[in-house]
Amino acid sequence: MKHRFSTHAGRASALPAILILLACLLCVPCCAAEAVTVCILDSGCNDGHIAGESFLGASDTLTDAVGHGTCVCSLVRDGAPEADIVMLKCFEAQDSMNEEAIVAALYAAVDTYRADVINMSWTLACESEALHEAILHAHEQGAVLVACAGNLSLTTGLGTIAYPAAWDEVIGVAGVDLDEEGAPKTSLWYLYGEAVDFCARADCGDEKGASYSTARVSGLIAAALQSGTEKTQIPGYLAAMAQDMGAPGFDDRYGWGYLEIP
């Protein structure tokens, strides 16, 4: 089980992370915005202002037939309006994942597009050596990798370990809903377990799912990098912002806590 944020988060050990966050916030007015690239591996994007590439063989269009990638792009852009967003289309729908295209897109994200953040709003229910090698390569090149912990479905039942979120190199994000008072609450709809590091609001218009909480966190990370936060400081930055939920410290429903992101 991954607990890689244990030295930065939790009620008793959050001070170093808080100091990092305060230092970053104090630097914002005097620092020029950093150029940040977010690569989104998804179903395409119908926003003509989003650049990118398709890895689906004969199809060279970014057209999003299901609207999933379009929602993800909009949420990342809401969080980091000045970031360069690149859509790397590697599947048509989440029930028809193309692992070969995903692996190719991961390598391209860092080798061609020099991604600072890679958003992966999808899950695989089993480990893949080829995918993990691509994840390791992107991590070694300095990209911050963010993936969703998944939703309950016919193929991802309770107890499913979601990849790539479960790997140590990836920040795993669970979804939560908001109650009538705006407080976060979890439900059976969202998968939980060792893949979860943080959680965030999981809606996009009338749709909901951990895909959208992941996009919000990627936007938050991109904005932090633009403000001068170092990539190595991102875990502490997130931990300092997280609102502890559930059992004190880490738990497998909320991770290290809820990130309040519009």
Side-chain angles (χ1 to χ4, degrees):
M1 180 179 293
K2 62 176 185 178
H3 291 289
R4 62 185 178 281
F5 300 118
S6 58
T7 59
H8 299 287
R11 289 174 178 156
S13 58
L15 183 57
I18 292 172
L19 292 177
I20 290 171
L21 176 59
L22 289 174
C24 293
L25 292 176
L26 289 172
C27 287
V28 169
C30 60
C31 298
E34 300 287 340
V36 171
T37 298
V38 182
C39 282
I40 298 173
L41 278 62
D42 218 288
S43 60
C45 183
N46 294 328
D47 183 342
H49 296 96
I50 299 295
E53 179 180 353
S54 174
F55 291 82
L56 296 181
S59 173
D60 60 357
T61 176
L62 294 182
T63 299
D64 182 10
V66 295
H68 185 270
T70 303
C71 266
V72 169
C73 282
S74 69
L75 291 172
V76 173
R77 186 170 55 186
D78 286 348
E82 302 304 317
D84 293 325
I85 298 176
V86 179
M87 168 55 64
L88 302 181
K89 182 177 178 178
C90 45
F91 55 87
E92 295 283 1
Q94 288 190 295
D95 59 357
S96 60
M97 301 296 289
N98 186 319
E99 185 178 328
E100 183 178 348
I102 289 171
V103 169
L106 266 168
Y107 281 106
V110 288
D111 295 342
T112 302
Y113 295 98
R114 307 300 181 203
D116 299 292
V117 182
I118 298 177
N119 185 93
M120 298 173 286
S121 287
W122 40 266
T123 62
L124 296 178
C126 58
E127 292 192 76
S128 160
E129 183 177 350
L131 178 59
H132 195 198
E133 288 179 357
I135 291 287
L136 288 169
H137 176 73
H139 178 71
E140 289 166 358
Q141 297 304 307
V144 180
L145 297 121
V146 192
C148 68
N151 308 313
L152 186 65
S153 73
L154 292 176
T155 57
T156 53
L158 290 176
T160 297
I161 300 175
Y163 297 95
W167 285 318
D168 288 345
E169 301 80 23
V170 181
I171 297 172
V173 183
V176 295
D177 297 323
L178 302 184
D179 64 20
E180 293 180 354
E181 298 178 352
K185 62 177 183 178
T186 189
S187 73
L188 285 177
W189 170 247
Y190 306 110
L191 291 181
Y192 57 91
E194 63 185 77
V196 178
D197 293 308
F198 298 97
C199 61
R201 186 176 134 216
D203 64 291
C204 182
D206 295 331
E207 302 290 329
K208 74 173 187 176
S211 293
Y212 307 128
S213 54
T214 303
R216 285 187 167 90
V217 172
S218 290
L220 176 66
I221 291 170
L225 294 176
Q226 285 183 302
S227 297
T229 304
E230 298 293 333
K231 293 175 184 176
T232 56
Q233 296 174 329
I234 289 299
Y237 178 88
L238 296 177
M241 295 187 67
Q243 175 186 345
D244 197 5
M245 303 289 297
F250 177 87
D251 66 79
D252 63 6
R253 283 192 177 272
Y254 300 98
W256 292 108
Y258 169 65
L259 295 167
E260 186 172 0
I261 308 167

